[in-house]
Amino acid sequence: MHAFKYHRAASLSEAATLAGKGEAKLLAGGQSLVQAMKLRLASPSDLVDLGTLKELQGIKSDGRTVTVGAMTRHAEVERSAEVKKAIPALAALAGMIGDRQVRAMGTCGGSIANSDPAADYPAAVLALNATITTNKGRYEADKFFTGLYETALKPGEIITSVSFQVPKRAAYMKFKNPASRFAIVGVFVADFGGSVRVAVTGAGPCVFRQADMEKALAAKFAPESAAGVKQKKEGLNTDLHASAEYRAHLVSVMAKRAVEAALK
Amino acid sequence: MNAPLIGARIERKEDYRFLTGAGQYTDDVTLANQSYAAFVRSPHAHAKIKSVRPDRAKKAPGVLAIYTGQDLSKLGGLPCGWLITDLNGQPMKEPPHPSLAQGKVRYVGDQVAIVIAETEAQARDAAELVEVDYEVLPAVVDGAKARAKGAPQLHDIAPDNTCYVWALGDKAACGAAFAKAAHVTKLEFINNRLIPNAMEPRVANGSYSRADDAYTLYVANQNPHVERLLMTAFVMGLPEHKVRVVAGDVGGGFGSKIYLYAEDVAVTWASRQLGRPVKWTSDRSEAFLSDAHGRDHHTVAELALDKDGKFLGMRVKTTANVGAYLSTFASCVPTILYATLLAGQYKTPVIHCEVTAVFTNTVPVDAYRGAGRPEATYVVERLVETAAREMKLDPAEIRRRNFITEFPYQTPVALQYDTGNYSATLEAARKLADVAGFAARRKASEAKGRLRGLGYAAYIEACGIAPSAVAGSLGARAGLFEAGEVRVHPTGSVTVFTGSHSHGQGHETTFAQVVADRLGMPIENVDIVHGDTSKILFGMGTYGSRSIAVGGTAIVKALDKIVAKGKKIAAHLMEAAEADIEFDRGVYRVKGTDKKKLFGEVAFAAYVPHNYPHDKLEPGLNENAFYDPSNFTFPAGTYVCEVEVDPETGKVAIDKFTAVDDFGKIINPMIVEGQVHGGLTQGIGQALTEGARYSDEGQLMTGSFMDYCLPRADDVPSYQVDTRETPCTHNPLGVKGCGEAGAIGAPAALINAITDALGVKDIPMPATPQVVWNALRKN
Amino acid sequence: MAVKISMQVNGKAVAAEVEDRTLLVTFIREHLRLTGTHVGCDTAQCGACTVDMDGRAVKACALLAMQAEGASITTIEGVAKPDGTLHPMQAAFKENHGLQCGFCTPGMVMNAIDFARSHPNPSEQEIREALEGNLCRCTGYHNIVKSIAAGAKAMAAGK
C-alpha cells in the first residue's frame, strides 16, 4: 500500500471538504478500497473515514420505502427485521455479499459508490427503483450508475442514504464466480403490481435493466415469461470464468429462478 | 501397563499451541536488528535485461541495500536434484538457474533484484523505484507449442526448448499388443497446471554472525537439511557446519516448500553483506508467481483390450511443461514418479510411455501433492472407465477382470508391488457408496431436471520414497533414507529427533504414539523435535508420503537399539543372562521368573551408573538410526464419486464422495482420515475449480484467489472414508503412507462421474460451470 | 505520516503511533507482537487474519488500524481462559481434529465463535456457508465443519 494521509471525519461537511482535496477518497467499510490499495491498484493521497458519522447509519421503513443509511453494514441489512419484513429479497441480497466477515464491515453506500460491475447492491438499487440521497441532492436509480466503476457522483459528493421502494414481491438470484464469489450474473426481479423491474449485475460492464423481460413479466409474472426472453450477448463481459454467451444464457436462467423465488 | 497407542485416535499434541495462537511460523520470527526485503520481479514473460538502475530506489526512505544479478553472479545456480537420461543416453539439459536474473528473465515473476529496507513497506515502496530496461521477447507458455518450429527459445543449451525426451517400457511389444486388440480406447487431455497455495506463504529470514562466521536461515520449508545441503554445497560454496536451517511451524507445504528457492539464497547471502538479518515474507500475489507450480501435462493415452475387456497394453505420450527453469525435483516428477505408476492396479502386460519435458515462459513446475502419481492415475483410470463404457461393461467389473491378485507383482514399468488387495477396497467402496442404489437416485435427479453420474477411480501410488540404490540408478543425486534419534532422559522421558518434517501431518503425535507404545509410557512423556539442522542429526524431509514409512521406521530402528542396550543393562541389574531378558512395552523381565525392571529404572541406571556393566557398556541411553527402505510402499484404494449436475447452469454438485484406502497399518486413524479429507479436497479442486491460466503473452491470469479458485467449504461434501489393511511387508510398522492418496485418486473419480452424468467421453479439468455448460451444449 | 491510535486488545488498553497506512493486522502482529493472527492472502479471502472487533468477526487485513480506533479487539490469544483452559470452540477443534498445519486455524476459530453466538445449533449447510470467508488447504473442511457443530453446541450449553 502506498502512503496516504488518514482523516477521520467529524461531520458530513468536514468529510465533504476533505474529500474534495486532490486525490482524496472516501473510506466507507473499506472492503474493496483497502484491498485495491494493498495491491497498489489504488493510491489515494488522502483517505476520509466516514466510520464515525452516526447520521449515515441505520435503517428506516415506512411501508412504502426502506431507507438504508450509507454506512449501514451489509450484516445489519441482512439481519434487520424491518428489511426482512418489507423487502425480504433485499435482506437476502445483503446476505449474499462477500462473506460474513466482509459483511460485518462492508456498507451499502460504499458498494453503490464503487459501482463494481459484479457487485450485488447495484442490482437492488436499480430493480427497487431506489433513490440515492447525497449531501448535495438526490439521484434516481436509473441515472446513477453510468459505467464501469462509474456513477453520477461528483468529486466530494457523499452518499448519505438509499431509499428502496417496497415491491409487491421480489427476489434476487446470483450465480457466483466460483473464485471471487462476486456475481457472474445476478438478477433482481421486482414486481410492483402492474410494473416489473429487472436488474442485471455481473453480466455487463455496468448494472443494467432488462427491458424485454420487464415487459414480458408485466404481462405475466411467471417463470416462463422470464425464461422466454433471450438476453443478447453483445456488450456482455467475457473473462476467464464466463463468456458473454454463457452470461447471456445465465441471465435468463437466473431471472426465471428469481421469479420462481418471488412467487414462493 | 498402558493401553496400546498404535491404532488409537489420540488428540494431537501440537494442537494447543496452534489453537491459542502460540505457533511459531517463520514470519513470527523477528530478529534483533531485523531488516526486510522485497523483490523486483519481471513483469514480462521473456525479456533481455538491458539495464537495472537502482539509484533512485537507493535514495528512498529506509533503504539499506539493493542487489542485482550482477552482485550475485559468483554464486552457483539453483541445482536440480535428479538427473534424467534421455532416449539417446544423453543427460537432460540443465540450463543455469540463477537466484537473481543474469541478463534475461524467463517468466513473469522471475527475480531481478532484492531491495532491503528498515521496514517491509519501505522495501516494497523502493522496489517500485528500481528502473529496469527490458527488451521484450516473444514468449511461449503452452507445453504443446514449445517445440514447434519458430517457437521462442528460452535457453541456448536447450534447443527446441527440450529438456529431455525419455521413455520407459517395451515399445515394440506394446505395438504388437495393440495390433491384436479387439478394442482400443484413446483419450487426449491436459492435466491442468495447479498452484499449490499452502495457506502460509513462503518466508525466509537469513542472518549472519560475524563472531561465529556462521549463517542461520529461518525458512518455511519441508526439508531443512536438504535445503542446507543444496544451498551450501551447490550455490554458496559454504561448509555445511556454518549454516543452520530452521523450519519451525510451517503452514502447509504440499510439495511447494521442498525446494531451494532463489529468495532463500538471496536473503542468506545478503545478510552477510549487510551485517543484519534480512526477512522476506511472500504475499499471496507473489506466491502465485514464485512458488513452484504443479502438473501441466499434455497427454495422448491409449488402452488396448481383448474382446472380454482384458487389458493387453497401454501406450502413453506426454509433454510435460517444466516451466522456465528446472526446479529442485522437476525432472523426476513427470518420469520416475509418473510412468512407473501406469500399471495402476492392473495386470496390463505391456506399457510404453514417452515423456518430453519442455521449457516455457512460465513459473517452474515441480512436485505438488501426489507429484506424477495423480497424473498417472488420471491416465489409467480415465482410460479404464472410458473403455468400460465403450465396451458396455460395468466399470467395476472391468476392473475386477484386470486386478493384480498375486503378490509380489512385477509391473512392466519397473516397480514391484509387495502387497495389496484391490478387490477388497473396491467392494468396500461400492458398499459404502451404495452403488446399488444409484439407479434410483439417478431417476430421482432426472425428475428434478438434474443429471446424475457416478465414477470410480482405483488408484495406486508408490510412496515411502525411496530405496536409495533404486533411486540412484534412476538418476537421483541424493540418498533418500531418513534419520532418527531417540534420546532417553535419566528419569525415563524421551525426546525424539526426526529428519521428517511436520507441516500439518501431526508427526508430533503419530511418532510419539509409536515411541510411547513401544516403550510402554504415556504419550506425554515423549516429545518429537523436527525442523532444525542444529538439533537433528540429519534428515531428508517430508514429501512423497514418506514420513511414517521411512522416518517412522528410522525411529523404530533407533528404538530397537535402545531396547537392546536396555536389555544388557537390565540383565546386569537382575543378574541374569542377556538372552533370558524379554522386553514388552516398558518392562524388562527375566524369562520364566517374576523378576522385572521397568524401562524407567533401566534408563536411570544408564545415567546414574553406580551399578553398571562398565566393562561392556557405555553409560547413557541415546541412539540414532538411519533407515533406507528396501522398496517403495504401495498404498492403493478405490474412490467412488457421485455428482448431480444442473444442466441449466453447468454447476456440478458433489453429492457423495466415498474413499476406501489401504494404507497398511494405521497409527492414528483420526489423523489418517484428516489426511484423506484434505487430499480429496485438493483432488476435487484440480478436477472442479483450480487451474492456472496464462495469456499467450505469458501473464498469469489466475494470479490471486479472485481468479484462482481454491475449494471452499461449500464446494465440497462431507466425505465417507474407510480403510482396508494389507500391511506393508518390508517395514517393521507395516505402514504405507497416506498423505497424497486423496489428491491422486479424486480427479479421475470426479471426472468419471461428470462424464457419466453428461454422457460425454471427456471433459477438460477444471470442469467449471462454463466448461460443463459448453459440453452440454455441444452434446 | 503518522497517526496516534488506541484500542483495547484482549482486554488491555494499547496505544501507539503508527503510519497512516498500517493495517489492523500489521498493528496486531508487528506492533503488539501478537503473531497468532495470520496473513494468508492479499485479497481478503482466506480469513486467516480474522479477529473479533466489538463482537463481530472481521478481517484484520481488510481494515486500517485507524478503523479500529477505540474498538475492543479480541485475537486468538485472548480466547482461552487466563488459566489456559481452552474456549469450547477451541476444544471442539482439538477433539474433532479440525486443524492440521494450524495456519488458518486462528481465523477459523474467531469466525466460528462469532457465528456460533447467533447459531447455537447450526446445520452442516449453514456452517459451510459461514465459512465462505475462510480458506483451509489442509483439512478439506470436513473436520472443521464437525468442530464448529460441536463447538456451537458446547458454547450454547455453557451459557
Side-chain angles (χ1 to χ4, degrees):
Chain A
M1 185 181 302
H2 288 120
F4 60 86
K5 180 76 201 129
Y6 173 90
H7 309 270
R8 182 176 294 113
S11 68
L12 195 57
S13 62
E14 190 198 2
T17 310
L18 288 166
K21 290 196 344 188
E23 296 293 305
K25 266 192 179 292
L26 295 165
L27 176 67
Q31 300 303 286
S32 295
L33 179 57
V34 173
Q35 303 321 311
M37 291 169 64
K38 272 161 61 182
L39 298 171
R40 299 183 178 233
L41 301 172
S43 299
S45 60
D46 296 74
L47 269 194
V48 184
D49 189 351
L50 306 174
T52 50
L53 299 182
K54 288 271 181 283
E55 66 262 45
L56 301 187
Q57 295 169 14
I59 297 164
K60 278 183 290 209
S61 174
D62 62 9
R64 294 173 52 112
T65 59
V66 170
T67 301
V68 178
M71 283 298 289
T72 310
R73 315 283 172 184
H74 305 321
E76 295 169 52
V77 175
E78 174 188 4
R79 291 174 201 169
S80 159
E82 276 176 291
V83 179
K84 278 187 190 167
K85 189 167 162 242
I87 320 177
L90 181 61
L93 174 142
M96 288 183 222
I97 300 171
D99 53 59
R100 60 189 309 282
Q101 294 100 310
V102 164
R103 293 195 291 274
M105 281 306 294
T107 66
C108 175
S111 171
I112 290 167
N114 192 38
S115 185
D116 186 309
D120 299 295
Y121 252 123
V125 170
L126 210 50
L128 295 172
N129 198 15
T131 302
I132 296 106
T133 305
T134 74
N135 59 334
K136 293 187 179 156
R138 284 163 198 273
Y139 295 92
E140 284 171 36
D142 284 325
K143 293 186 180 149
F144 185 77
F145 300 104
T146 54
L148 183 71
Y149 294 106
E150 280 175 12
T151 66
L153 291 171
K154 293 169 200 73
E157 187 166 10
I158 302 170
I159 300 175
T160 55
S161 68
V162 183
S163 296
F164 299 91
Q165 294 189 17
V166 176
K168 191 171 139 205
R169 55 197 167 193
Y172 177 62
M173 279 289 153
K174 175 181 184 180
F175 195 76
K176 290 179 184 180
N177 176 321
S180 70
R181 301 292 171 119
F182 275 82
I184 279 185
V185 167
V187 179
F188 201 117
V189 175
D191 179 6
F192 289 92
S195 77
V196 174
R197 290 173 70 99
V198 177
V200 180
T201 189
C206 182
V207 64
F208 63 89
R209 283 174 64 187
Q210 223 303 352
D212 295 341
M213 269 181 202
E214 292 181 352
K215 226 179 282 167
L217 286 167
K220 186 184 177 198
F221 195 79
E224 61 271 19
S225 305
V229 176
K230 298 290 167 238
Q231 167 70 41
K232 283 202 201 86
K233 66 177 181 182
E234 285 72 25
L236 299 193
N237 299 335
T238 285
D239 57 27
L240 277 181
H241 306 281
S243 64
E245 202 174 4
Y246 180 48
R247 279 190 160 90
H249 165 77
L250 286 175
V251 169
S252 297
V253 177
M254 291 298 115
K256 178 185 82 171
R257 292 184 183 182
V259 175
E260 278 167 0
L263 287 169
K264 267 183 194 161
Chain B
M1 183 70 56
N2 295 297
L5 290 167
I6 290 186
R9 293 178 171 269
I10 289 179
E11 285 178 29
R12 298 201 319 169
K13 288 163 72 80
E14 44 273 82
D15 284 354
Y16 187 87
R17 73 172 186 275
F18 294 144
L19 281 162
T20 55
Q24 279 288 295
Y25 300 87
T26 307
D27 189 50
D28 301 341
V29 176
T30 297
L31 302 170
N33 219 13
Q34 185 74 62
S35 69
Y36 298 85
F39 284 85
V40 176
R41 296 181 182 277
S42 171
H44 305 294
H46 200 190
K48 277 188 189 146
I49 299 174
K50 290 161 73 181
S51 69
V52 183
R53 294 194 307 277
D55 317 0
R56 256 179 79 206
K58 276 185 176 165
K59 290 181 201 133
V63 172
L64 298 165
I66 296 175
Y67 304 107
T68 67
Q70 224 167 14
D71 299 301
L72 267 68
S73 61
K74 293 211 175 70
L75 299 187
L78 303 175
C80 179
W82 204 296
L83 173 71
I84 295 295
T85 303
D86 78 6
L87 273 177
N88 304 316
Q90 296 301 307
M92 66 186 187
K93 301 293 192 297
E94 289 184 81
H97 186 181
S99 291
L100 293 178
Q102 305 284 331
K104 205 176 171 193
V105 286
R106 293 180 176 86
Y107 64 96
V108 173
D110 209 349
Q111 310 77 217
V112 174
I114 177 172
V115 177
I116 302 164
E118 293 287 354
T119 71
E120 193 175 350
Q122 287 170 337
R124 284 167 184 255
D125 287 348
E128 289 186 337
L129 302 175
V130 175
E131 294 163 288
V132 188
D133 272 355
Y134 295 102
E135 179 189 330
V136 178
L137 302 170
V140 60
V141 296
D142 183 342
K145 292 179 185 159
R147 301 181 84 208
K149 246 197 172 148
Q153 300 292 299
L154 271 78
H155 301 282
D156 294 342
I157 72 154
D160 299 326
N161 296 316
T162 305
C163 180
Y164 55 75
V165 181
W166 173 94
L168 181 68
D170 187 335
K171 193 173 183 178
C174 207
F178 273 81
K180 63 177 187 195
H183 182 83
V184 173
T185 290
K186 183 175 178 179
L187 285 167
E188 177 172 358
F189 49 75
I190 287 168
N191 199 288
N192 42 328
R193 176 183 281 241
L194 303 176
I195 304 182
N197 279 308
M199 290 320 300
E200 178 205 27
R202 285 190 297 119
V203 185
N205 190 351
S207 62
Y208 173 74
S209 158
R210 201 162 298 284
D212 302 325
D213 185 28
Y215 297 84
T216 302
L217 172 65
Y218 293 87
V219 62
N221 185 276
Q222 300 176 216
N223 45 356
H225 280 89
V226 176
E227 168 97 357
R228 180 175 72 171
L229 176 66
L230 294 173
M231 192 162 73
T232 55
F234 295 94
V235 182
M236 294 180 69
L238 295 168
E240 271 175 282
H241 70 293
K242 289 295 185 188
V243 178
R244 174 186 174 203
V245 175
V246 184
D249 288 327
V250 172
F254 316 112
S256 68
K257 293 171 183 165
I258 297 173
Y259 323 115
L260 173 65
Y261 282 98
E263 296 88 353
D264 309 352
V265 171
V267 298
T268 306
W269 178 86
S271 70
R272 179 174 185 167
Q273 312 301 310
L274 201 61
R276 289 179 65 172
V278 180
K279 174 154 84 174
W280 167 73
T281 302
S282 173
D283 60 28
R284 183 59 57 187
S285 300
E286 242 179 326
F288 273 97
L289 296 176
S290 69
D291 293 1
H293 293 179
R295 320 274 193 259
D296 205 343
H297 285 192
H298 176 263
T299 293
V300 179
E302 293 172 279
L303 179 66
L305 304 97
D306 74 8
K307 63 176 178 28
D308 300 320
K310 282 245 172 74
F311 304 162
L312 302 173
M314 181 185 291
R315 59 185 173 209
V316 178
K317 233 179 153 168
T318 291
T319 300
N321 183 346
V322 297
Y325 304 95
L326 277 176
S327 174
T328 312
F329 287 110
S331 51
C332 70
V333 175
T335 48
I336 308 304
L337 296 178
Y338 170 65
T340 56
L341 274 302
L342 289 170
Q345 300 185 354
Y346 312 109
K347 291 180 285 195
T348 313
V350 286
I351 297 172
H352 183 259
C353 178
E354 184 182 293
V355 179
T356 304
V358 296
F359 296 107
T360 64
N361 296 108
T362 61
V363 173
V365 174
D366 208 322
Y368 164 62
R369 200 171 194 169
R373 291 153 293 170
E375 297 92 311
T377 295
Y378 194 74
V379 169
V380 175
E381 292 303 294
R382 288 286 298 121
L383 279 175
V384 169
E385 193 101 349
T386 308
R389 288 175 194 165
E390 288 174 346
M391 297 183 76
K392 310 262 183 278
L393 283 168
D394 181 288
E397 178 54 26
I398 200 172
R399 288 179 167 90
R400 286 187 203 109
R401 286 183 195 177
N402 289 284
F403 274 155
I404 295 162
T405 51
E406 282 167 29
F407 297 90
Y409 177 81
Q410 178 62 50
T411 74
V413 275
L415 297 176
Q416 191 185 75
Y417 301 165
D418 63 333
T419 180
N421 184 350
Y422 307 136
S423 59
T425 48
L426 173 70
E427 302 311 333
R430 281 169 56 81
K431 208 168 162 198
L432 191 58
D434 184 26
V435 172
F438 173 71
R441 292 193 293 276
R442 177 175 254 178
K443 251 194 189 150
S445 292
E446 279 166 4
K448 293 187 295 177
R450 302 285 161 107
L451 306 169
R452 185 173 282 266
L454 183 141
Y456 292 87
Y459 76 92
I460 194 160
E461 49 173 333
C463 296
I465 292 170
S468 294
V470 176
S473 72
L474 297 171
R477 285 164 164 164
L480 285 157
F481 55 84
E482 194 49 273
E485 177 183 352
V486 177
R487 187 180 297 171
V488 181
H489 302 292
T491 52
S493 67
V494 176
T495 306
V496 176
F497 299 85
T498 174
S500 296
H501 187 280
S502 183
H503 31 278
Q505 294 87 344
H507 297 163
E508 291 172 40
T509 306
T510 309
F511 288 7
Q513 282 177 254
V514 170
V515 174
D517 186 86
R518 179 79 181 274
L519 298 180
M521 57 179 60
I523 194 167
E524 292 74 22
N525 288 13
V526 182
D527 268 0
I528 307 294
V529 176
H530 64 95
D532 186 341
T533 60
S534 72
K535 294 179 181 168
I536 317 295
L537 71 162
F538 199 77
M540 295 308 298
T542 286
Y543 41 84
S545 303
R546 69 193 299 271
S547 294
I548 192 65
V550 191
T553 301
I555 292 169
V556 169
K557 297 284 180 189
L559 282 171
D560 290 345
K561 295 182 190 175
I562 293 279
V563 168
K565 183 171 179 182
K567 257 186 196 175
K568 290 189 167 70
I569 300 169
H572 174 88
L573 292 176
M574 294 190 276
E575 296 174 337
E578 189 191 331
D580 291 335
I581 305 292
E582 295 172 323
F583 179 75
D584 183 33
R585 303 236 315 268
V587 185
Y588 288 98
R589 292 173 203 279
V590 181
K591 253 184 249 173
T593 76
D594 58 0
K595 279 167 114 177
K596 64 176 184 181
K597 283 281 171 195
L598 300 178
F599 180 76
E601 295 177 273
V602 170
F604 191 75
Y607 285 97
V608 187
H610 297 164
N611 173 18
Y612 199 78
H614 287 287
D615 53 336
K616 296 188 208 116
L617 278 183
E618 295 170 11
L621 200 51
N622 187 27
E623 298 287 351
N624 62 50
F626 286 68
Y627 172 70
D628 201 303
S630 58
N631 193 358
F632 295 90
T633 64
F634 298 98
T638 298
Y639 294 169
V640 182
C641 176
E642 203 170 315
V643 299
E644 199 179 57
V645 179
D646 177 350
E648 283 188 328
T649 63
K651 193 169 162 61
V652 175
I654 301 170
D655 187 49
K656 285 150 82 81
F657 204 112
T658 306
V660 179
D661 296 285
D662 177 356
F663 297 132
K665 287 273 183 199
I666 287 172
I667 311 295
N668 186 328
M670 179 188 83
I671 287 178
V672 166
E673 287 163 13
Q675 290 293 307
V676 174
H677 299 154
L680 289 176
T681 304
Q682 286 182 359
I684 288 169
Q686 165 158 33
L688 212 54
T689 70
E690 297 179 45
R693 295 268 298 273
Y694 277 94
S695 72
D696 290 343
E697 297 74 34
Q699 294 295 332
L700 181 64
M701 296 190 292
T702 49
S704 82
F705 291 144
M706 297 293 281
D707 287 308
Y708 187 90
C709 181
L710 229 57
R712 285 184 176 79
D714 59 1
D715 290 322
V716 292
S718 281
Y719 301 108
Q720 307 176 78
V721 301
D722 199 359
T723 53
R724 290 293 178 271
E725 184 179 305
T726 60
C728 173
T729 59
H730 55 80
N731 65 48
L733 292 167
V735 293
K736 298 181 181 178
C738 65
E740 296 162 293
I744 291 169
L750 186 45
I751 295 299
N752 284 338
I754 295 173
T755 49
D756 182 45
L758 305 185
V760 299
K761 182 174 176 182
D762 195 20
I763 194 160
M765 296 193 288
T768 62
Q770 158 102 69
V771 166
V772 171
W773 183 72
N774 284 346
L776 276 167
R777 256 194 335 163
K778 261 188 245 157
N779 225 23
Chain C
M1 286 178 260
V3 280
K4 284 196 177 129
I5 183 166
S6 60
M7 64 183 88
Q8 291 263 324
V9 177
N10 299 332
K12 238 173 72 185
V14 298
E17 197 168 287
V18 299
E19 260 197 291
D20 300 48
R21 62 174 156 172
T22 306
L23 293 169
L24 179 58
V25 71
T26 314
F27 181 68
I28 290 169
R29 285 183 58 81
E30 305 294 329
H31 294 258
L32 304 179
R33 302 296 307 148
L34 292 169
T35 55
T37 303
H38 297 148
V39 180
C41 77
D42 45 17
T43 48
Q45 280 164 305
C46 82
C49 64
T50 301
V51 299
D52 190 287
M53 181 164 92
D54 296 330
R56 301 172 302 178
V58 297
K59 291 180 172 177
C61 82
L63 256 71
L64 298 173
M66 288 305 287
Q67 287 176 277
E69 168 69 27
S72 174
I73 303 285
T74 305
T75 70
I76 191 69
E77 288 91 343
V79 171
K81 284 192 188 153
D83 71 356
T85 309
L86 294 178
H87 182 282
M89 188 59 77
Q90 290 171 311
F93 270 72
K94 186 165 189 287
E95 285 155 18
N96 291 283
H97 188 31
L99 63 153
Q100 291 183 24
C101 82
F103 195 79
C104 76
T105 309
M108 287 282 178
V109 170
M110 296 313 295
N111 184 33
I113 290 173
D114 178 36
F115 168 71
R117 285 189 207 118
S118 54
H119 296 79
N121 189 18
S123 69
E124 176 177 341
Q125 193 52 35
E126 284 174 323
I127 295 171
R128 288 186 182 275
E129 283 168 10
L131 292 176
E132 198 163 11
N134 291 80
L135 291 170
C136 171
R137 195 58 156 164
C138 293
T139 64
Y141 305 102
H142 182 109
N143 284 340
I144 291 179
V145 172
K146 270 172 70 181
S147 302
I148 295 175
K153 271 196 193 135
M155 279 171 65
K159 262 180 197 161

